[in-house]
Amino acid sequence: MGRGKIAIKRIENPTTRQVTFSKRRAGLLKKTHELSVLCDAQIGLIIFSSTGKMWQYCTDSFRMEQIIERRQKVTGTRIPEHDGREQLFNELALLKKETRHLQLGMRRYTGEDMGSIPYEDLDQLEQQLECSVEKIRQRKSELLQQQLENLRRKERMLEEENSNMYRWIQEHRMAIEYQKAALEAKPDETHQHQMLDYFQFCGEPSSVLQLATISDQMHPYHLQLAQPNLQDSNI
């Protein structure tokens, strides 16, 4: 059976495409070498893969530059030499021109060198300056409004702290006055309350001696027993 024909189109499978490229590249280089040796032909072959890798073949005793120069002589074409200095000079001149234009514009905005400016440019410059001044005023008003709101917010916070502090002072002042009034109460009322509390705890006194003992314990009032008059008893 004969080998089937392969459709000449791009192989979609990357693995298969790489394998086919390697095999056919080797075969192409082999056939090129055979053609150069058998027919004494001067051949220069350059191959670039899809990944950018390069392979080349050049007939022995020749260099690839010689093959390319011979091809240019035969066809009458030359590869243009790229000189970047001219492009750099052009870009430098353009940048200098833009710099001079910007410097001139800045001098106009600062009021310098106004004698050479025509009337139309002066009118346009005046409108631009008025627009800029208006934007500056708007921004200034916004900043002043923000500062005023911050000051008002700070004022409210200070007033609230002041109110809390005043309320705290009043509460502690009332407590101090209440304690002071309790300490300055009459001794009689205090003594009476102490006597009643003691009697409720100990019960009523059963004799005059117990009453004397109780009275000695209650300061500053002391009860003293009356001593009998011996003269009256002898009578």
Side-chain angles (χ1 to χ4, degrees):
M1 295 180 64
R3 182 179 299 179
K5 293 183 179 181
I6 301 175
I8 305 302
K9 63 179 183 178
R10 183 177 182 272
I11 301 174
E12 298 298 334
N13 191 339
T15 303
T16 305
R17 184 170 62 245
Q18 182 64 30
V19 172
T20 303
F21 174 78
S22 299
K23 290 181 178 181
R24 298 212 172 197
R25 182 194 70 231
L28 179 60
L29 293 174
K30 181 180 179 181
K31 293 294 183 181
T32 303
H33 176 67
E34 292 176 356
L35 178 62
S36 176
V37 173
L38 293 175
C39 302
D40 195 17
Q42 300 177 5
I43 302 175
L45 176 65
I46 301 175
I47 303 173
F48 288 97
S49 67
S50 59
T51 59
K53 191 174 181 180
M54 185 189 73
W55 288 267
Q56 66 179 1
Y57 173 82
C58 182
T59 303
D60 294 339
S61 71
F62 285 91
R63 293 182 293 108
M64 184 63 70
E65 290 81 2
Q66 295 175 346
I67 301 296
I68 294 175
E69 288 178 0
R70 187 171 182 181
R71 186 256 178 192
Q72 292 175 352
K73 290 179 181 180
V74 173
T75 58
T77 59
R78 294 185 62 85
I79 299 176
E81 296 181 357
H82 180 71
D83 189 2
R85 291 179 295 178
E86 183 178 359
Q87 184 178 0
L88 291 176
F89 289 149
N90 294 332
E91 292 180 355
L92 182 60
L94 181 61
L95 291 176
K96 289 182 178 181
K97 183 178 179 180
E98 293 179 355
T99 303
R100 288 195 299 268
H101 180 71
L102 293 174
Q103 290 177 351
L104 179 61
M106 292 298 296
R107 295 180 64 183
R108 289 179 178 179
Y109 282 114
T110 56
E112 301 177 3
D113 192 16
M114 304 294 291
S116 61
I117 303 177
Y119 176 79
E120 292 78 6
D121 294 343
L122 288 175
D123 186 36
Q124 184 179 3
L125 180 61
E126 182 182 5
Q127 293 178 0
Q128 292 177 356
L129 291 175
E130 289 179 354
C131 182
S132 300
V133 170
E134 184 65 24
K135 292 180 179 179
I136 292 172
R137 289 174 179 173
Q138 292 179 358
R139 180 56 181 169
K140 183 178 179 181
S141 300
E142 292 177 359
L143 293 176
L144 290 176
Q145 187 67 25
Q146 292 178 1
Q147 292 179 0
L148 182 60
E149 291 178 356
N150 293 332
L151 291 175
R152 289 177 179 175
R153 190 181 302 109
K154 187 176 181 179
E155 181 182 3
R156 289 193 297 268
M157 293 174 61
L158 292 176
E159 289 179 353
E160 185 177 358
E161 291 179 359
N162 190 16
S163 300
N164 295 332
M165 184 65 67
Y166 179 76
R167 191 181 304 110
W168 182 84
I169 292 173
Q170 291 295 329
E171 292 176 356
H172 283 71
R173 181 179 295 175
M174 293 176 61
I176 292 172
E177 290 179 355
Y178 178 79
Q179 293 178 359
K180 185 177 179 181
L183 293 175
E184 292 178 355
K186 294 181 179 180
D188 294 340
E189 296 178 357
T190 306
H191 179 67
Q192 291 177 4
H193 288 299
Q194 291 177 353
M195 290 290 292
L196 291 175
D197 295 338
Y198 188 81
F199 288 156
Q200 291 177 2
F201 179 75
C202 299
E204 296 182 357
S206 59
S207 62
V208 179
L209 294 176
Q210 185 177 0
L211 179 60
T213 305
I214 295 173
S215 63
D216 291 336
Q217 297 175 357
M218 302 304 294
H219 181 78
Y221 299 98
H222 300 280
L223 296 178
Q224 297 180 358
L225 296 177
Q227 298 293 333
N229 194 347
L230 297 177
Q231 295 178 359
D232 293 340
S233 60
N234 296 330
I235 298 174

